[in-house]
Amino acid sequence: MDYDTKTPQSVTSDPKSFASDSVRSRWPVILTGAIDDLYRSVGKAEDPEKQAEGKKIVEQLGALKYEVQHDRVLSPLPEDGFPEETAAYNKELEQRGNPTWLDVPWLFSECYMYRRISSFFALSTHWKGYDLFARQKIDTFRTSRNAVLELAARYREFIEQTKTAKPDEATEEILFREFFEICLWGNATDLSLLTNMTYEDIQKLQGSEARKKAENNILSNDLPAVYEILKKARAEGKAERRVDIVLDNAGFELYVDLILAGFLLATGLATQIVIRPKSIPWFVSDVLPTDFSALLNAISNPRAFFETQTDEEATLDKTPAPLTQKENDDLLFVFQDWAMCHAEGQLVMRPNRYWTAGGSFWRLPHEQPSLADELKEAEIVIFKGDLNYRKLTGDAWWDPTTSFTEAIGPMGAGSGINVLSLRTCKADVVVGLPAGKDEELRALPNGGGDSGSRKWAWGGKWAVVSLSKGQ
């Protein structure tokens, strides 16, 4: 807490905040889903001891849900094999005066909730390492089938073209922005940005309606400066040009993260990509190392993955449509390309348990100097998603015109780390906006108006692409 910003943090007791809505509405639903998932798995367990232990964890999850809904005190974490972690969480609970769920900083309490859930499994014999969100993550990827196939075809087209002729600089910069914007939005709703991937056709996209629509929703966009950093390193002939990605969601979002990684490697804008997942089930859909394996397994045998009935499809007597030969081959191409990058050390995974600590990244240079030193070696460190943005900015009520570099404190100027945040807005905190923009957005329908709430920033419609140069 000593290193945190003094700007007031978002707290669950503030009725105008998304924090208040989350603890009262979202978290009980998430915990109910977790209970249902584990209950299904317990029912399939044949070992009586495993069944009994699973039922005990179901009861613990139910008790946690009760505590949240009835504003109980956040209890100390038990020692579960990671004593430094539990001690840090418990020290902060004490420093914060043993708070209750409905009056506590949102960021800390949300991290605490998932860390507490992890302890239930870590202290078990038969359920260690169980990811109660895994089923949901892989099912979500399966439902993104159309988008997955579309991107696989475009990615294959691009990679095959680069083997015969590299794009000229103007085309490369357009492609750079396209790939990054797909990675920013990280969903399957609009792939119109990559409608065509031939070098001739892609240049026509620069003024397209799709691009204008997407760019109008990016409130602050530092991608041109990012491109200049990577292009300069390549032009200078640096032997090692690394880009790190601190991951957010599994499933389709991880898929587009890897699409971006492949683009950067193919163009030589990077010689190595380091992806940084979480180490425990986290915020429902965050990437674990096993999610990376699950994704590669899925696209290594596309027919088996996409043509096999899910439990829900079987209940509805619905048969998935078969893949065409080209769709199958495109996905196999993507798998083989990524597998080769991984085998050759161009695509590397480095988990670190610090990503699931309870505090903001204002603490990172002081609490984990070795991790900070690692990040300094990258040309750019990309932090994906809303939670990483909240952690970077301390989840605080900054004036929205505050610069991103100022708002990330010790991770900003002088840190030696070039920080890039790709974030669709799903929480109250936002910085780097032009004067008057927040007021303009609040005045939109459902934007918050005079209520004091920044509701426009809750739904993921708007985004920021924010760069802080660490020199």
Side-chain angles (χ1 to χ4, degrees), residues 61-362:
L61 289 168
L64 176 58
K65 178 183 171 184
Y66 180 89
E67 290 175 25
V68 172
Q69 292 182 303
H70 292 81
D71 196 24
R72 297 297 190 254
V73 171
L74 279 67
S75 59
L77 293 174
E79 205 290 292
D80 59 5
F82 299 94
E84 291 184 7
E85 285 183 19
T86 53
Y89 270 98
N90 292 340
K91 180 182 178 182
E92 186 153 350
L93 284 174
E94 186 177 343
Q95 289 176 328
R96 293 191 179 282
N98 299 309
T100 63
W101 285 98
L102 301 185
D103 187 18
V104 61
W106 183 28
L107 179 63
F108 173 74
S109 59
E110 197 164 12
C111 292
Y112 164 88
M113 182 177 78
Y114 287 98
R115 184 61 182 80
R116 173 111 171 259
I117 291 170
S118 175
S119 72
F120 301 157
F121 295 91
L123 289 169
S124 71
T125 300
H126 300 281
W127 296 90
K128 288 184 188 295
Y130 180 79
D131 180 4
L132 72 175
F133 305 120
R135 196 186 336 254
Q136 183 176 339
K137 286 186 280 192
I138 201 66
D139 284 351
T140 301
F141 181 66
R142 195 190 308 269
T143 61
S144 301
R145 167 175 163 157
N146 290 343
V148 168
L149 295 174
E150 175 73 12
L151 268 182
R154 303 310 177 199
Y155 181 82
R156 180 183 182 181
E157 228 176 291
F158 170 76
I159 296 296
E160 288 180 338
Q161 287 176 17
T162 59
K163 292 177 180 177
T164 57
K166 298 288 185 183
D168 60 60
E169 188 174 305
T171 302
E172 181 184 79
E173 184 171 5
I174 295 170
L175 285 165
F176 180 87
R177 283 155 48 191
E178 304 288 359
F179 277 104
F180 264 89
E181 287 177 17
I182 286 291
C183 193
L184 164 68
W185 296 110
N187 59 49
T189 57
D190 183 9
L191 287 177
S192 56
L193 291 174
L194 288 172
T195 304
N196 300 290
M197 287 288 290
T198 62
Y199 294 157
E200 294 78 14
D201 288 345
I202 201 72
Q203 295 183 55
K204 299 174 186 176
L205 285 176
Q206 192 162 20
S208 73
E209 184 178 342
R211 163 169 291 288
K212 287 178 182 177
K213 181 180 177 183
E215 288 193 339
N216 285 342
N217 286 1
I218 301 175
L219 303 173
S220 174
N221 194 344
D222 291 334
L223 280 181
V226 178
Y227 180 64
E228 289 303 315
I229 289 173
L230 297 179
K231 188 177 67 170
K232 182 173 181 287
R234 182 180 61 187
E236 291 173 348
K238 290 184 68 172
E240 295 183 6
R241 304 184 297 279
R242 202 181 87 203
V243 172
D244 289 15
I245 307 177
V246 182
L247 299 168
D248 186 30
N249 295 324
F252 184 74
E253 185 168 340
L254 175 59
Y255 180 74
V256 296
D257 292 341
L258 295 174
I259 290 281
L260 174 64
F263 165 79
L264 293 173
L265 292 171
T267 55
L269 288 167
T271 59
Q272 186 184 58
I273 306 293
V274 174
I275 57 174
R276 297 184 177 274
K278 307 301 189 298
S279 299
I280 61 174
W282 192 248
F283 284 66
V284 181
S285 54
D286 280 28
V287 179
L288 304 179
T290 49
D291 294 318
F292 177 71
S293 303
L295 177 60
L296 290 184
N297 286 338
I299 64 173
S300 71
N301 192 349
R303 292 194 191 282
F305 180 73
F306 284 110
E307 295 180 7
T308 300
Q309 275 186 324
T310 63
D311 291 343
E312 183 180 354
E313 286 169 337
T315 302
L316 298 172
D317 196 24
K318 182 179 177 182
T319 303
L323 298 179
T324 66
Q325 188 61 47
K326 183 179 184 305
E327 289 170 338
N328 185 74
D329 292 348
D330 287 342
L331 275 175
L332 285 176
F333 177 92
V334 174
F335 165 73
Q336 289 160 2
D337 186 67
W338 292 348
M340 182 182 68
C341 290
H342 187 54
E344 294 182 353
Q346 292 182 297
L347 183 60
V348 179
M349 185 186 331
R350 289 185 192 163
N352 190 304
R353 290 192 68 94
Y354 190 75
W355 303 124
T356 53
S360 77
F361 294 150
W362 277 58

